[in-house]
Amino acid sequence: MGVLDESDIAILKILQQDADLTNKQIAARVHLSPTPVFERIKRLRADGYIKKIAAVLDVEKLNCSFVAFCYIKLKQHTFDNAERFMSAVQKMDEVGECYNISGDYDFLMKVYVSSMKEYQKFVLRILGELDCIGGLNSSFVMGEVKNSYAIPVKNSSNI
């Protein structure tokens, strides 16, 4: 992977805000012509800076606005338990994000459901079936303060 220049950084920042823009629209914002912008985006994809382009959906319209953070503790810290849990999470549509974390718990999941009742079903019927889980703790989102999918983009030579 090469070093990002200022135009690459500008393109990545723009794409994080609106990946639906055309190359011509992006080119106007970064003061290049569309062909070099197209080539840069193609290179940024090939180099792995752009992993994928996805639509951000409205949780309210899709009736998934009850958001819970679920902290999971495994029964035992074994490779098999961790693998079993991580494999099961991949199949859970309700889980938007899952991280293996340090501290008192082993995993943190962000769960999207329609209501407290649906979250209870998720905990009892889906998580309850996993015998590798030793405990869990839940926190519920009361209001969203910031929700950004953007990550800080900097020139790697300046880091």
Side-chain angles (χ1 to χ4, degrees):
M1 283 189 275
V3 175
L4 298 177
D5 65 17
E6 293 305 315
S7 294
D8 293 331
I9 292 168
I11 290 168
L12 290 173
K13 287 180 178 180
I14 290 167
L15 288 173
Q16 283 192 109
Q17 295 303 313
D18 188 353
D20 202 31
L21 294 173
T22 65
N23 289 332
K24 185 176 179 180
Q25 291 169 315
I26 296 169
R29 292 185 187 187
V30 298
H31 310 293
L32 294 172
S33 63
T35 301
V37 167
F38 172 80
E39 292 299 326
R40 283 173 180 268
I41 292 172
K42 187 173 155 184
R43 177 180 46 80
L44 291 166
R45 284 180 191 246
D47 288 350
Y49 288 101
I50 300 171
K51 291 173 73 172
K52 68 179 178 178
I53 302 292
V56 178
L57 305 180
D58 187 313
V59 294
E60 295 284 337
K61 290 187 185 281
L62 295 168
N63 198 26
C64 293
S65 60
F66 188 88
V67 181
F69 286 95
C70 183
Y71 298 87
I72 301 290
K73 187 179 289 196
L74 297 177
K75 276 186 181 175
Q76 290 182 303
H77 291 107
T78 65
F79 181 80
D80 288 342
N81 277 346
E83 283 291 313
R84 208 166 28 253
F85 178 77
M86 291 187 291
S87 177
V89 167
Q90 296 298 321
K91 300 172 190 145
M92 297 176 190
D93 292 336
E94 299 87 350
V95 178
E97 299 172 50
C98 182
Y99 303 95
N100 186 201
I101 59 173
S102 63
D104 293 335
Y105 292 91
D106 302 308
F107 294 92
L108 170 61
M109 299 188 305
K110 187 174 185 182
V111 180
Y112 295 90
V113 290
S114 62
S115 65
M116 176 64 85
K117 189 165 190 74
E118 288 302 310
Y119 184 70
Q120 181 185 33
K121 285 181 189 176
F122 172 77
V123 169
L124 296 176
R125 292 187 181 156
I126 297 174
L127 295 181
E129 293 296 315
L130 297 174
D131 63 355
C132 57
I133 294 178
L136 68 86
N137 188 8
S138 301
S139 296
F140 305 105
V141 174
M142 297 189 315
E144 190 172 272
V145 177
K146 180 178 179 181
N147 185 347
S148 171
Y149 298 94
I151 60 168
V153 182
K154 301 174 187 165
N155 190 324
S156 56
S157 65
N158 294 339
I159 298 176

